[in-house]
Amino acid sequence: MNERISPFSPPTPWSVRTKRTARQAAMKSWLEGMVYLVPSLLLFGVFLFYPLGRTMYLSVFHTDYQGQPTEFAGLAHFVALLQDASFWHSLKATILFAVLTVPTTVVISFGLALLVHERRKGMGIFRTIFASTMGMSVGVASVIWMFMYNPAIGIINRLLSAIGGSPVSWLLDPDTALYAVAAATIWMNIGLTFLLLLAGLQNIDPSLYESARITGMSYWRQLWTVTVPLLSPTLFFVTTVSLIQALQTFGQIDFLTKGGPVEATNVFVYAIYREAFVNYQFGSASAQAIVLFLIIALVTFLQFRFAERKVHYQ
Amino acid sequence: MRTARATAHYVLLCLCSVVILFPVAYALLMSLMDGAAILSGRLWPENWTLVNYEAAFQQAPLGRYLWNSFFVAFMITLGRLIVSSLAAFAFVFLRFPGRDRWFYICIATMLVPWEATVIPNFLTIQALGWTNRYVGLIVPFWAMAFGIFLLRQQFKQIPHELYEEAQLSGIGNFRFFCRVVLPLSKTSLVTLAVYSFLDAWNMYLWPLLVTNDDRVRTVQIGLKQLQTQEIASSWGVVMAAAVIAMLPTLLLLFAGQKQLRKGLMQGAIQ
Amino acid sequence: MAFLELVEVTKSYGGKKSAVENVNAAIESGEFFVLVGPSGCGKSTILRLIAGLEPLTSGYVLIDGQVANDWPPHARRLSMVFQNYALYPHLTVEQNMRIALQAQKIPKEEQVKRCMEAAELLGLTDVLHRKPRELSGGQRQRVALGRAIVAQTPLCLMDEPLSNLDAKLRAKMRSELRRLQRQLGMTVIYVTHDQTEAMTMADRMMILHDGRPQQIGSPLDVYNSPDNTFVASFIGTPPMNLAEAHVLDHSLLLQNERPIRLMRRSLPKAERVIVGLRPEHIEPAELGGESMAVKVSHIEWLGNETLVTFELAKNLYWTARWNGQWRIRLGEVVPLAFDEQALLFFDERGKRIGTPSIKREEVRIRQ
């Protein structure tokens, strides 16, 4: 049932008006939206998409010292890479470095997060202490650890000799260098990982623990049946972030070992840096950069897919 | 039983703290000893001295490096906040054709590691004549997918009715953005600011490539210089410089730790 | 000419069924017009279409006789009170009321003046410098109202503005809102799912169901003379009693089971109908005569009146509303009489047959 309304005559046929005004309105809203997006899109275009494309382009060219492409190389750089022992060596070093740092960082940080995620006095202080390494820049952390690793006067060898061991040239020995850098890296990365995991723990509904306590679950059982499953998205996220970070390691290497000794710590990004900015082989370095991009894109993509499924699952 | 558990807990916490804090404490102690004491391998200074700090400022333009780092990190942070919040605002509140497509493009940038683009970026900066200038250290880092993503999550929490009310009463989009959206998103903005500042302060590869002049060099590169020059001879000076270089970020972290913890989670896990 | 007109207003979101279809209405200046219906009936959508927050699929919105379809929201000169009030949480009450005026570049003295007047009117003078979270639900509601008042727009849209208040405050605010609206001469379009709210507040109301308008009229018109079974059962608590019936000579057979003899009422010509009767038209009777004996299945004592539910036929429960307190036991058999003149007839599809049975004059006398 409807109401009678006063007669009126619309100015122009409705369909004509809607189409035109709708187009105008869409144009106006598009323009306004783009005003807000232009800074981001422009910057992404100039400093991300263009260079990514350029890297791909350079990777199939020979280049001169200025980085200008001279001669089409096709897949020659990639083929050369695959046949190059030092490429495989650097890939191996990177993977070993990731394996050494990522699980250790996550496990230690998780432990620390569990320790402070209790309702006791003074947790704020410990929280601050454990997060503090996040405030350590790569330069600061590196020089401190370098000194600690010093074979003659560093604290580590002092302690070693105090308990009767023989001194080790931590950063100069190909067998120990990567492990030494990994230890420093773990220390550096604990802060952020800890902070993220703690935030994840604090997001868990406390009533779940209350109900677990009522049923008389022990601490360890609660950990396995409540904490770990509910924290798994965060754990996964933190692991992938650490993994990506490990694959991009550069600063510590440049400070502590410069990729040596005998390429023992020549991880991926350091190898790219050397190839491009020491050897001026921009084409070949670009090919390596593309490989890095593909690996990291794959890891990130998997993280997104997994996270998406997790969200639906919850 | 209860107190025993509590004691064990605190003992464990203290042990962990000692391990975590040890390198920092070690650096601090070394920086307060003279060269002979360091070489003798002492852990606790016999004579407390500030000579290393004086030396650090004399031997290298440490003050300049610190200022450069501060300025660069501050400008990167400010730029990121502006650029990211504008984009996030468009993605949340404005309706326009192609919006979602642009969003996916922005998110896709997370797939690209900065290192994979560093070679052409270096060439671009060279071509623009931005080497050895602040602008070359700052501008490339303004756009940031994580920032857009984090702020978008935050903006989505703002009730849409507020936006509709603004539209009805003739409050324009930009005014709404400045007067309502930004003030309501303080936590996330602070989170992003702290994170960005730490990130920018920590930057190493890029300043290494685009600066070779003390006037614009950041403190990270300064440390590297100092370390290469001073090796073996005066570790105390290097440690003093390290202590000074860690102070700003440590203070920032202490101040912003809580916000960071709350805000990062919001962006990381939906 | 009406102040606001909706002409064949339709909105669809691309699905098969449109959210709002073919709505026509003419709202006069100073009117309190209520859109009422169950949730999901499209009433809020209509409001948003009027406000310009969403574009129409087809039809026209006319403001002061001009087609306003393409006007942006702020050009329509209307204000809106949202269900959750949409107060800016970081601004004080005063700032909340003034932010829109600032955007419109109204002089500062004028802003302050309007703000003070509204605060005075709403009893908010003491809380002008507080933030929304420091206010009670009722105060927040008033601030939202205050914002609409200071805007001094001729039209105010209200989307379930009272539904976040507790029952007692809600009842109080109903009359307060009406008083204010009359005092300020505002035109209000008010959306609610609560038929009591609609009945008690509206000058006129539109009942909506599934995006389609069912009836427009004053509360009493709609109550006494519903156009279809949906309106009949939606308006009034307890709702109108309905039953399918066969039409026989001088009697109805409810659900093939319960015959009712009608002495003073002519019957519709259809074979099958739906009959409706308001609870207050079922009266207690003496045994014998024209009364009907039914078994009581549920009783509610409300103090001033008693609701008696009885099983009229298998699975057909009707409710009667009697004044006073009746001591009846469950399962007791009681005699009843129906007010034949009050019986309403609907066809099998639920549409009303025939003319209103209660004449206007009669209504006035009862008032």
Side-chain angles (χ1 to χ4, degrees), chain C residues 34-39 41 43 160 162-163 165 167 170-171 174 190-202 205 234-237:
Chain C
V34 175
L35 298 169
V36 64
S39 60
C41 72
K43 54 195 188 302
E160 308 247 8
L162 303 183
S163 62
L165 302 178
R170 189 158 49 204
R174 274 183 212 146
Y190 186 101
V191 159
T192 180
H193 67 273
D194 179 352
Q195 61 89 26
T196 316
E197 220 164 273
M199 289 294 286
T200 50
M201 297 177 83
M205 60 208 260
F234 186 76
I235 300 292
T237 41

Side-chain angles (χ1 to χ4, degrees), chain B residues 1-16:
Chain B
M1 181 63 202
R2 224 186 195 156
T3 46
R5 260 198 76 154
T7 318
H9 186 215
Y10 279 114
V11 168
L12 208 55
L13 279 167
C14 291
L15 275 175
C16 292

Side-chain angles (χ1 to χ4, degrees), chain B residues 96-123:
Chain B
F96 57 94
R99 183 184 72 171
D100 294 345
R101 202 181 51 223
W102 289 122
F103 179 67
Y104 288 122
I105 287 175
C106 286
I107 289 304
T109 62
M110 284 197 197
L111 294 173
V112 185
W114 166 250
E115 287 76 9
T117 60
V118 79
I119 296 166
N121 272 332
F122 173 71
L123 299 174

Side-chain angles (χ1 to χ4, degrees), chain A residues 26 41 47 49 81 98 105 144 147-148 152 155 183 187 190 194 232 252 266 273 275 284 292 297 303-304 309:
Chain A
L41 296 180
F47 295 110
F49 288 113
L81 269 187
T105 310
I144 294 175
F147 185 41
M148 287 177 26
I155 182 76
W187 179 76
I190 279 175
F194 161 80
S232 61
Q252 306 92 297
N266 192 23
Y273 165 76
E275 190 73 352
S284 153
L292 176 75
Q303 142 77 11
F304 268 118
R309 208 175 305 157

